[in-house]
């Protein structure tokens, strides 16, 4: 009976100490923000890949001959291949659910295109990314690197409209630290994506509209650590 009364008397003090306890290895802001960073970076990388694919067509004489309707005189250039390379930096800063973060990301892609008909092009290439996200919660840091590939087809429905179909996969590795390096971890991830869109250009030489719209799916499976 006395022991029970003693526990009841100490209960308020125990609750005070319980409320002030801190577990520094809880995922915290890394779990709260890295998913958002991944989505934004993945979408930006896909946008850049599609732009590089379309740009690779401009390095091919086929595009020029197709647009200008060059008459075949027997001196027509062979023009099956095109090439393009692009790189971008993406800086992100936000505070979702009170978890402030800053993220700096570098992305790049190298694309090759091959005309298989006057209206259809096969496109493929490699893509890569590196990034670092700094989180205020527990002085966290997430470093990321990834490499992958993509393949697609661009079919010109008309001179002003094209159907773009792309798919790809990317392997990623994450290094995570918290509390200024007191707690560290590592995990891998596989990212898959598909993108289907209609794109084109409308207007005159002095006033025009470039458009692109469609459906995009991104799926990423992370291993635990």
């Amino acid at each position: 009976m006395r022991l029970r009364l003693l526990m009841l008397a100490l209960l308020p003090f125990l609750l005070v100490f319980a409320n002030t306890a801190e577990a520094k290895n809880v995922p915290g802001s890394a779990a709260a923000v890295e998913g958002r960073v991944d989505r934004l970076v993945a979408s930006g990388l896909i946008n850049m890949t599609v732009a590089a694919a379309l740009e690779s067509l401009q390095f091919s004489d086929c595009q020029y001959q197709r647009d200008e309707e060059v008459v075949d005189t027997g001196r027509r250039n062979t023009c099956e291949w095109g090439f393009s390379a692009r790189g971008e930096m993406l800086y992100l800063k936000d505070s979702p659910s009170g978890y402030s973060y800053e993220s700096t990301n570098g992305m790049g892609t190298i694309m090759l295109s091959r005309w298989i008909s006057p209206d259809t092009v096969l496109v493929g290439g490699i893509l890569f990314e590196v990034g670092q996200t700094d989180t205020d919660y527990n002085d966290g840091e997430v470093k990321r690197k990834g490499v992958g590939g993509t393949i697609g087809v661009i079919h010109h429905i008309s001179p002003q409209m094209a159907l773009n179909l792309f798919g790809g996969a990317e392997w990623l590795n994450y290094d995570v630290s918290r509390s200024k390096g007191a707690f560290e971890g590592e995990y891998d991830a596989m990212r898959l994506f598909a993108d289907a869109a209609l794109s084109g250009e409308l207007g005159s030489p002095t006033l025009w509209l470039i458009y692109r719209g469609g459906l995009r799916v991104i799926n990423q499976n992370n291993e635990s650590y």
Side-chain angles (χ1 to χ4, degrees):
M1 184 67 179
R2 290 181 179 179
L3 179 61
R4 182 177 300 179
L5 292 175
L6 179 62
M7 292 298 296
L8 291 175
L10 292 176
L11 183 59
F13 298 97
L14 294 175
L15 291 176
V16 170
F17 285 111
N19 287 336
T20 59
E22 180 180 352
K24 292 186 177 181
N25 61 341
V26 173
S29 57
V33 307
E34 191 57 37
R36 174 176 298 202
V37 172
D38 286 336
R39 288 192 296 272
L40 294 173
V41 171
S43 187
L45 185 58
I46 296 171
N47 289 339
M48 187 182 64
T49 299
V50 172
L54 297 174
E55 191 176 73
S56 72
L57 309 187
Q58 308 304 318
F59 284 85
S60 168
D61 289 334
C62 273
Q63 179 73 7
Y64 169 76
Q65 292 178 133
R66 179 180 178 277
D67 290 347
E68 300 298 326
E69 298 181 357
V70 176
V71 177
D72 191 348
T73 62
R75 301 174 58 186
R76 197 173 170 94
N77 294 327
T78 57
C79 50
E80 294 179 342
W81 295 94
F83 169 82
S84 178
R86 292 174 69 100
E88 293 182 7
M89 293 295 296
L90 177 64
Y91 174 75
L92 303 170
K93 183 176 182 179
D94 201 355
S95 183
S97 302
Y99 292 117
S100 300
Y101 75 90
E102 294 185 35
S103 182
T104 304
N105 306 275
M107 304 175 290
T109 184
I110 300 173
M111 302 295 295
L112 288 174
S113 60
R114 188 179 192 278
W115 292 78
I116 59 175
S117 79
D119 297 315
T120 306
V121 189
L122 289 178
V123 185
I126 61 173
L127 45 90
F128 52 89
E129 63 179 88
V130 293
Q132 177 173 319
T133 302
D134 297 316
T135 55
D136 288 344
Y137 182 88
N138 281 348
D139 296 312
E141 180 182 81
V142 182
K143 293 183 178 180
R144 180 190 72 258
K145 56 181 179 291
V147 63
T150 182
I151 190 170
V153 60
I154 301 173
H155 176 69
H156 292 85
I157 301 173
S158 70
Q160 294 79 31
M161 180 183 295
L163 173 64
N164 310 284
L165 300 173
F166 285 89
E170 189 178 6
W171 171 83
L172 301 114
N173 176 260
Y174 295 79
D175 286 317
V176 182
S177 67
R178 308 184 189 103
S179 299
K180 296 183 179 181
F183 301 90
E184 295 183 348
E186 179 185 3
Y187 65 94
D188 294 330
M190 178 62 68
R191 179 186 296 159
L192 303 174
F193 69 86
D195 186 88
L198 286 174
S199 64
E201 183 176 328
L202 299 173
S204 65
T206 57
L207 181 63
W208 65 91
L209 171 66
I210 299 175
Y211 64 89
R212 187 177 192 275
L215 177 64
R216 174 173 297 171
V217 178
I218 301 173
N219 180 69
Q220 181 170 324
N221 292 320
N222 296 336
E223 295 181 359
S224 60
Y225 65 93

